[in-house]
């Protein structure tokens, strides 16, 4: 761990190298990597990415005033190159970066906190199929270039452009496997459910990316029948020890626990859910994601001596049904699902969905 | 806040020395006199936290009056 508080400066640096291996090693020395080798960001390659974005290199995508950083198109391009992206991924990486820098996302929180947060990006719309962003088997990886490199590009943007340096400004106690990469798509054409981005205000023929500061996915191994699956999902989401069931930094929830948003993925064959809409599922999970005052007192989340009735008095852990980001995603083999609790209270970081300016792989900026 | 002309003092636990140093450098004040206290404080009782605050108060005064 660096003791001096040294970080890279966030400024553009030009270095020379004579071979690919030397360049890869030099990138390590410069502190530009996540621990894995990066593609050397040559001027030519970065230039291709900037050109593909259709935006000027110096255009400011967003700011992180707490760390005195301006994030430009050129900086995003350099990190996308290093992550191993293809040039056509640029609109997704740029839009996800813009989304992370929206004030309600409060990026300085999940990128610095002792809690283990990674930034999950969920891609919806035609862009997901055109770029072959995986929404099925091995949803969270490995094995697919778009998922692996888009998610990795966002982490490198965080480390190199936003100064989220482990041990200095990123003080996560246990880290998070998703901090290497954490990008998925919804299998929206394989279900009757309304796609996530349409629920959040866009149209089905538009493409959008949603960013969410989350803990790691917890697999839910309940299959076969809708109610038992949803019961298990709610039970997992109600566990002690998650962000949502802890106290401290409670904000304005007024209930003594943090509460927060969650992402739920449900896989398999959508026919199992033919009698269920997303809204009905979210209502069902929301009503059952809760913990008794007795349990919360026993865990010292709530203060006070136990009193009669504590076991029957339930505290909800999710503010509203729409704070459940439900997507149809994962392998076709089974209806297994996953729950991803938020990193912090909703007031500390709220998921953001942004439109991707996209008009096909040949001419990708509308 | 110092840049805005408002005297200020920062207290950190000692596990965050590199973070405080990084922030001071980033804001162009590498010698900024951050006050450190023993980590952790989040599990301290109200009484213990009050005792810690009383112990730190003279240091805060020194920093605010430019004698830090």
């Amino acid at each position: 761990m660096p003791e001096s508080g040294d970080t890279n400066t966030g400024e553009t640096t030009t270095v020379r190298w004579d071979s690919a291996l030397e360049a890869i090693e030099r990138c390590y020395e410069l502190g530009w990597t996540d621990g894995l080798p990066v593609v050397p960001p040559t001027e030519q390659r970065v230039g291709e990415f900037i050109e593909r974005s259709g935006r000027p290199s110096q255009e400011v995508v967003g700011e992180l005033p707490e760390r005195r950083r301006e994030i430009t198109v050129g900086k995003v391009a350099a990190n996308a190159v290093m992550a191993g992206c293809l040039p056509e991924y640029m609109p997704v990486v740029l839009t996800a970066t813009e989304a992370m820098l929206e004030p309600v996302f409060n990026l300085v929180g999940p990128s610095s906190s002792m809690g283990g947060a990674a930034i999950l990006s969920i891609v919806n719309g035609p862009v997901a199929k055109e770029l072959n962003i995986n929404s099925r088997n091995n949803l969270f990886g490995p094995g697919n270039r778009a998922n692996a490199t888009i998610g990795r590009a966002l982490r490198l943007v965080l480390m190199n452009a936003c100064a989220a340096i482990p041990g200095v400004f990123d003080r996560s106690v246990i880290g998070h496997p998703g901090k290497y990469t954490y990008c998925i798509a919804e299998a929206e054409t394989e279900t009757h459910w309304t796609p996530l981005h349409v629920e959040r205000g866009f149209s089905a023929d538009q493409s959008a990316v949603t960013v969410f500061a989350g803990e790691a996915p917890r697999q839910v191994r309940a299959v076969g029948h809708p109610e038992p699956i949803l019961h298990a999902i709610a039970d997992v989401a109600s566990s002690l020890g998650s962000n949502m069931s802890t106290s401290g930094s409670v904000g304005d929830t007024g209930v003594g626990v943090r509460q927060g948003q969650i992402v739920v993925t449900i896989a398999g064959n959508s026919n199992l859910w033919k009698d269920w809409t997303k809204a009905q599922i979210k209502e069902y999970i929301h009503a059952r994601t809760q913990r008794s005052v007795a349990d919360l007192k026993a865990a010292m989340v709530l203060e006070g001596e136990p009193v009669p009735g504590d076991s029957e008095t339930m505290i909800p852990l999710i503010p509203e049904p729409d704070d459940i980001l439900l997507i149809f995603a994962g392998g076709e083999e089974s209806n297994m699902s996953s729950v991803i609790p938020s990193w912090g209270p909703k007031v500390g970081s709220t998921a953001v969905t942004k439109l991707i300016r996209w008009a096909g792989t040949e001419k990708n900026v509308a | 806040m110092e840049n805005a002309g408002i005297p200020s003092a920062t207290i950190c636990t000692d596990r965050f020395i590199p973070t405080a140093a990084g922030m001071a450098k980033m804001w162009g004040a590498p010698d900024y006199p951050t006050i450190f206290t023993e980590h952790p404080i989040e599990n301290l009782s109200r009484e213990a936290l009050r005792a810690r605050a009383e112990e730190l108060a003279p240091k805060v005064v020194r920093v605010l009056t430019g004698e830090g």
Side-chain angles (χ1 to χ4, degrees):
Chain A
M1 179 191 291
E3 287 296 325
S4 63
D6 284 335
T7 68
N8 55 55
T9 62
E11 299 304 316
T12 304
T13 305
T14 303
V15 290
R16 299 195 65 80
W17 45 61
D18 296 320
S19 75
L21 271 178
E22 185 192 330
I24 289 168
E25 290 301 326
R26 189 83 176 96
C27 289
Y28 274 113
E29 291 166 15
L30 288 161
W32 291 352
T33 92
D34 52 9
L36 295 168
V38 294
V39 174
T42 62
E43 286 181 345
Q44 183 187 342
R45 185 74 169 161
V46 175
E48 284 174 36
F49 276 52
I50 293 168
E51 190 179 337
R52 197 60 180 253
S53 79
R55 298 164 65 171
S57 175
Q58 295 304 318
E59 184 182 321
V60 175
V61 172
E63 297 176 15
L64 201 59
E66 297 88 345
R67 297 188 189 142
R68 310 186 82 190
R69 292 292 174 92
E70 277 189 346
I71 292 80
T72 61
V73 170
K75 289 178 186 177
V76 174
N79 286 291
V81 169
M82 288 199 287
C85 287
L86 291 171
E88 52 263 42
Y89 301 169
M90 268 298 281
V92 179
V93 178
L94 271 172
T95 308
T97 303
E98 289 172 336
M100 292 194 300
L101 292 165
E102 287 284 333
V104 295
F105 195 74
N106 187 30
L107 181 61
V108 77
S111 71
S112 67
S113 166
M114 290 193 292
I119 313 302
L120 173 67
S121 49
I122 305 169
V123 183
N124 278 98
V127 71
K129 268 211 161 28
E130 290 205 45
L131 294 182
N132 191 30
I133 302 173
N134 182 35
S135 61
R136 283 302 212 166
N137 178 278
N138 273 279
L139 177 66
F140 291 101
N144 188 276
R145 183 174 186 172
N147 300 52
T149 63
I150 291 170
R152 188 186 186 202
L154 296 176
R155 177 51 50 182
L156 292 177
V157 166
L158 283 166
M159 293 177 69
N160 293 323
C162 300
I165 312 293
V168 182
F169 294 128
D170 176 347
R171 297 303 307 253
S172 176
V173 173
I174 66 163
H176 190 317
K179 287 168 89 166
Y180 287 97
T181 186
Y182 211 15
C183 172
I184 60 175
E186 180 169 15
E188 63 192 50
T189 59
E190 295 166 57
T191 172
H192 60 284
W193 286 346
T194 306
L196 179 68
H197 71 311
V198 175
E199 288 185 288
R200 295 171 66 86
F202 299 97
S203 65
D205 61 354
Q206 290 179 316
S207 295
V209 60
T210 301
V211 292
F212 174 80
E215 298 180 356
R218 159 76 194 272
Q219 177 179 278
V220 182
R221 205 179 169 95
V223 297
H225 305 283
E227 281 93 345
I229 291 173
L230 299 181
H231 184 78
I233 288 172
D235 190 79
V236 166
S238 302
S239 63
L240 292 174
S242 79
N243 154 69
M244 294 141 57
S245 59
T246 52
S247 58
S249 306
V250 166
D252 57 0
T253 62
V255 292
V257 299
R258 282 184 165 186
Q259 296 189 321
Q261 299 181 305
I262 63 169
V263 168
V264 173
T265 69
I266 294 182
N269 188 323
S270 188
N271 285 339
L272 181 72
W273 302 94
K274 60 181 167 33
D275 298 326
W276 292 73
T277 64
K278 274 191 175 178
Q280 290 170 320
I281 291 173
K282 293 194 295 187
E283 292 275 354
Y284 191 103
I285 296 172
H286 176 259
R288 291 162 179 79
T289 300
Q290 56 187 355
R291 202 78 199 195
S292 71
V293 169
D295 285 348
L296 293 167
K297 281 184 176 174
M300 296 182 75
V301 172
L302 298 181
E303 294 181 355
E305 294 299 316
V307 297
D310 277 357
S311 297
E312 291 75 43
T313 307
M314 306 302 287
I315 304 287
L317 303 184
I318 302 171
E320 304 290 337
D322 279 342
D323 290 317
I324 300 168
L325 282 65
L326 171 65
I327 62 169
F328 185 66
E332 298 169 59
E333 301 86 343
S334 158
N335 290 110
M336 285 186 209
S337 49
S338 77
V339 169
I340 305 177
S342 60
W343 151 79
K346 185 181 174 186
V347 67
S349 182
T350 306
V352 173
T353 303
K354 277 190 88 78
L355 180 72
I356 300 169
R357 287 186 276 167
W358 176 264
T361 45
E362 290 307 306
K363 189 178 71 125
N364 64 19
V365 176
Chain B
M1 288 176 70
E2 289 281 354
N3 286 346
I6 303 167
S8 61
T10 303
I11 303 169
C12 266
T13 64
D14 54 15
R15 289 288 185 276
F16 291 87
I17 289 173
T19 309
M23 192 60 80
K25 283 184 188 176
M26 187 168 272
W27 284 88
D31 299 322
Y32 186 78
T34 304
I35 300 162
F36 293 104
T37 185
E38 189 181 343
H39 188 85
I41 57 169
E42 73 175 342
N43 296 326
L44 294 183
S45 66
R46 286 171 197 271
E47 298 72 32
L49 194 59
R50 181 168 188 88
R52 189 73 69 88
E54 284 173 0
E55 174 192 323
L56 292 169
K59 295 181 185 175
V60 172
V61 171
R62 283 202 293 277
V63 169
L64 290 177
T65 54
E67 296 166 13

